[in-house]
Amino acid sequence: MRNDMVCIGIRDSRNARLRRKRIVGDPDKAAFDTGHDAHEIIHCMEGDFRPKWGDPAAPEEVFLTQGSGFHIAPGVPHTLTTARGSGPGKVISVNL
């Protein structure tokens, strides 16, 4: 599988950034970001996802299905991919 992400950025009146992501990926090959200065709230629209966070060498992880959500605190390294074999998926990600 290849990693493929499309993001559309929107800012609301409170200066929150809303991104709609379309993600396909291999959870074992996903690179962690270094974290950012905002809270991130993720809502799973379609597909199954495996967010990982914390220490990239020994990350925490959870399994998300359609309709579930997840919060990542500011400054926490993380990555988000679809679950292995689940195909493409869609999430809404809001950074506050």
Side-chain angles (χ1 to χ4, degrees):
M1 280 192 218
R2 68 172 222 241
N3 288 329
D4 180 19
M5 181 186 307
V6 177
C7 298
I8 301 169
I10 302 168
R11 291 201 181 266
D12 71 9
S13 61
R14 295 178 311 251
N15 205 30
R17 189 172 64 197
L18 172 65
R19 296 182 298 162
R20 184 171 180 193
K21 297 181 181 179
R22 183 167 170 243
I23 303 168
V24 177
D26 181 342
D28 295 329
K29 294 182 180 178
F32 274 66
D33 69 11
T34 57
H36 39 74
D37 62 352
H39 291 271
E40 185 168 359
I41 311 247
I42 297 168
H43 177 74
C44 182
M45 301 294 291
E46 295 177 14
D48 299 324
F49 291 86
R50 283 220 179 264
K52 294 180 181 182
W53 69 95
D55 179 1
E60 301 283 334
E61 69 180 285
V62 69
F63 185 74
L64 299 179
T65 58
Q66 184 174 335
S68 59
F70 187 71
H71 168 261
I72 300 170
V76 175
H78 60 280
T79 187
L80 177 66
T81 63
T82 54
R84 185 179 311 287
S86 69
K90 292 179 185 175
V91 300
I92 292 178
S93 173
V94 179
N95 290 350
L96 301 167

